Amino acid sequence: MHVSLQNRGYCHLKRSSLNEKYKQRTAIFFPSKSLKNFLDSQAGLILTLPALAFVTIFVFYPLAQMFYLSLFRWNFVSPNMVFVGIEHYARMFLNDPVYLRSLVNVVLLAAQSSAIQIPIGVALATIIIRYRRIGGLFWAIIFLPYVISSVAVSLIWTWMYNPYFGSINVFLHAIGLGFLARPWLGDISTALIAIFGTVNWIYIGLTTTMTIATLKSIPPSIFESARIDGLSGFQEFRKITLPLLKELIVVLMIIDIAGAFQFFDLIWVMTQGGPSDSTHVTTTWLYRAAFRSSEPGYGAAIGVTIFIFSFVIVQLLIKITRSRLTR
Amino acid sequence: MLSQKAKIMKRLKLLALAITLLIISIIMIYPLSWTLITAFKTNRELFLDPWGLPSNPTFENFIKAVDRGNMGQAMINSLIVSLSSIFIISIIAPMAAYATSRIDFKFKGAVTNLLIAGFFIAPHAVLVPLLILLRDMGLVDTLLGLILSHVGWHLPFAILFMKAFFVSIPSSLQDSARVDGLSYYSMYRKIMLPLALPTILTVAIIMFISVWNNFLFAFIFLRSPSNFTVPINLLNFTTGRYGNDYVAQSAAVLISAIPTIVLYLLFAERIRKGVAFMAFGR
């Protein structure tokens, strides 16, 4: 069928009148026009139905069941579930120091990610854009860790931190700082910091990439006129780039907060929450409670708090910042 | 005099910049290259001289990783899971994205929100009910269960990403096709889908990497090593009988990363562009 790609001047017609025209045309070709027309009138719903089915079954049904399960004591296999009401929630906040510790760790993770990755990412992004040729190669390098699986990365860094052959200790010995060498992941005072180091190593490329995408959406004419006005590189950054980056920085912080609540692989592979439960995040503690201690009800309750912290609060943050930024 | 001084200052600044970039590059590359070298060493060499080059490089570690580390089977399983997931997503997501951005229908706003909300929800929160759901469906410890879960949790991002594309298509194109008597379905098939192919490819590549690297779902749903995907098999290999065989583990880690690194080398631009979208999607 011939289709004109040009605007044929029907723009002034309302969509409903276009649909009328469609019905008149098709009536000539299809005798069973009523079914055809019915299917076409429901096209929107029909085309979204498969996706809707998947999302309903695998996202929303479990999400709803999570709230229900969190009210019961149970062990996965036994047929009788004991209703305990909000007991799990009370235990979480009043009687579970590891859970509270895991919340603190999530906050620390989000805070350090924002404080370290955003400034470095913004700096690297401006450099990459300014020095295009060498910047392209550099960009490719710093983004590389992001495409490698978190399990592989965790193993590699577990070896970096290994007390015997780990490169960090070997390096410290080599430059005469051997007294600083230690089992980084086994030492309660350094385990969390060691994990944070790996986190930043993985995600610095992502932060930089998001910043570059934002900066590239700025029309280059602004920079040109700034250069004509005689602004130095730093002035240019402070006067033009930074204000434009404000919204991005807020978005990156929100991503860091949401990301911290979705953090699991790295910690499970590197420390399993140890030593002495000091590196647990809420997700690893949920896993331990639900699947290792066979308390799915308690795990579901922890899941409810993860959902509330990461989804509800993040949505609120987005709403607040959007309205404030667009004002 | 002054201009010369300024010139020298500029040179020094550039030099400092180059050194900074070099140091960061080394930090980024070093752990990966260390693993590459270690994979060709023996365990004795590793402990005696962690920085030394292998005196007699062999592929023995790689053979061991595939042979006794089950990496071959795991690669096949991961390939099945990743390809099946992106196949289903590539068919379903563009349909839903097109409908929710280009067709007016009842409850469109609510449906769109439902489709996209999953992007903002942590799958970790619902692990318990999700496992129970798969158990009730008889899909625990099956690749099918893993595939379906991946589709469900990856669709929101795919739809969000595709919507940005469909919204950018001028509506005059659709209107003129409509007047020419095309139903929404044939319009989708004949006009929109061909136009969307590059975007679908981007989504498929990003989803492939994401599914290939996914650890969480496989860790919860899979039980028998013959069903293991690469990340969980990797963990199993490093904590099991070969827990101290670091050189064989290094080889396994390298093998596991080959597919995504190859994809990255081929489609770096596409991947970075797609991933950067996550910032705008929020």
Side-chain angles (χ1 to χ4, degrees), chain A residues 104-260:
Chain A
V104 172
N105 286 346
V106 167
V107 172
L108 287 176
L109 176 62
Q112 78 87 31
S113 296
S114 299
I116 292 176
Q117 286 168 30
I118 293 175
I120 295 179
V122 169
L124 294 182
T126 45
I127 292 169
I128 287 170
I129 288 180
R130 219 188 155 102
Y131 304 95
R132 215 156 272 187
R133 197 168 299 168
I134 196 76
L137 177 68
F138 182 68
W139 189 9
I141 290 173
I142 60 169
F143 190 76
L144 183 61
Y146 186 74
V147 302
I148 301 172
S149 79
S150 47
V151 174
V153 166
S154 312
L155 289 171
I156 291 173
W157 275 92
T158 310
W159 300 328
M160 293 292 118
Y161 291 127
N162 185 288
Y164 306 109
F165 59 80
S167 294
I168 291 174
N169 280 356
V170 175
F171 179 71
L172 287 173
H173 281 296
I175 61 168
L177 293 172
F179 62 92
L180 285 175
R182 64 186 70 215
W184 296 92
L185 292 171
D187 190 326
I188 213 168
S189 59
T190 55
L192 205 59
I193 294 167
I195 289 170
F196 289 165
T198 307
V199 173
N200 295 331
W201 183 81
I202 299 172
Y203 290 104
I204 196 70
L206 181 67
T207 312
T208 308
T209 302
M210 289 178 177
T211 313
I212 289 172
T214 308
L215 289 179
K216 280 198 171 158
S217 63
I218 301 169
S221 57
I222 295 181
F223 290 106
E224 273 159 35
S225 58
R227 230 161 269 175
I228 291 166
D229 288 346
L231 260 67
S232 74
F234 180 69
Q235 277 177 319
E236 185 185 290
F237 173 77
R238 213 171 50 107
K239 292 258 162 68
I240 304 169
T241 314
L242 202 57
L244 290 166
L245 276 178
K246 248 187 197 158
E247 184 173 10
L248 175 84
I249 290 171
V250 172
V251 170
L252 288 176
M253 284 170 72
I254 292 171
I255 290 177
D256 283 335
I257 295 169

Side-chain angles (χ1 to χ4, degrees), chain A residues 1-8 10-11 15 18-19 21-22 25-26 36 39-40 42-48 50-52 54-55 57-63 65-66 69 74 76 124 127 131 136 138-152 155-157 159-160 162 164-165 167 170-171 174 201 204 206 209-210 213-214 248 251 255 258 261-265 268-269 283 286-287 290-292 296 299-300 303 306-307 310-311 314-315 318 322, chain B residues 14 17 21 24-25 27-32 34-35 46-47 50-51 88 92 95-96 98-100 102-106 111 113-115 117-135 137 145 148-149 151-153 155-156 159 171-185 188 190-191 209 212-213 215-216 219-220 231 234-235 238 246 249-250 253 256-257 260-261 264 271-273 275-276 278-282:
Chain A
M1 188 173 292
H2 168 72
V3 175
S4 165
L5 295 188
Q6 282 159 354
N7 179 354
R8 289 163 148 218
Y10 290 112
C11 268
R15 181 140 296 144
L18 281 174
N19 288 342
K21 260 205 151 68
Y22 163 76
R25 296 248 173 154
T26 48
K36 187 89 188 164
L39 284 179
D40 196 62
Q42 299 300 318
L45 213 52
I46 291 170
L47 285 172
T48 48
L52 214 48
F54 265 104
V55 173
I57 295 170
F58 291 98
V59 178
F60 292 106
Y61 174 68
L63 196 67
Q65 223 199 351
M66 169 181 77
L69 283 171
W74 186 45
F76 272 118
L124 294 182
I127 292 169
Y131 304 95
F138 182 68
W139 189 9
I141 290 173
I142 60 169
F143 190 76
L144 183 61
Y146 186 74
V147 302
I148 301 172
S149 79
S150 47
V151 174
L155 289 171
I156 291 173
W157 275 92
W159 300 328
M160 293 292 118
N162 185 288
Y164 306 109
F165 59 80
S167 294
V170 175
F171 179 71
W201 183 81
I204 196 70
L206 181 67
T209 302
M210 289 178 177
T214 308
L248 175 84
V251 170
I255 290 177
F261 278 102
Q262 303 200 11
F263 212 70
F264 178 81
D265 311 6
W268 191 258
V269 177
T283 53
L286 182 156
Y287 176 79
F291 301 105
R292 292 286 160 105
I306 291 176
F307 172 73
S310 66
F311 184 79
V314 163
Q315 291 298 316
I318 291 173
R322 281 253 166 89
Chain B
L14 274 179
L17 192 72
L21 292 191
I24 295 176
S25 300
I27 295 174
M28 299 311 287
I29 289 288
Y30 174 77
L32 304 173
W34 182 89
T35 310
L46 171 64
F47 276 90
W51 272 349
I88 302 174
I92 293 179
M95 273 165 39
Y98 165 67
T100 51
R102 279 276 163 251
I103 304 176
D104 288 318
F105 60 94
K106 243 187 200 171
V111 167
N113 282 338
L114 274 181
L115 287 175
F119 180 56
F120 302 95
I121 300 171
H124 308 68
V126 302
L127 286 179
V128 173
L130 201 55
L131 179 69
I132 293 170
L133 174 71
L134 287 188
R135 193 184 68 180
M137 294 168 98
L148 296 179
S149 315
V151 172
W153 282 92
L155 270 175
I159 291 172
S171 61
S172 57
L173 181 65
Q174 172 164 338
D175 292 346
S176 55
R178 200 82 183 127
V179 171
D180 279 346
L182 257 67
S183 71
Y184 281 120
Y185 304 104
Y188 172 71
K190 289 180 181 158
I191 304 172
I209 293 175
W212 180 275
N213 288 342
F215 168 65
L216 185 74
F219 185 52
I220 307 289
L234 213 51
L235 186 67
T238 54
Y246 297 105
Q249 291 173 19
S250 300
V253 162
S256 81
T260 53
I261 289 181
Y264 179 57
I271 292 171
R272 290 194 302 233
K273 214 179 261 170
V275 166
M278 283 198 280
F280 298 108
R282 302 235 166 199

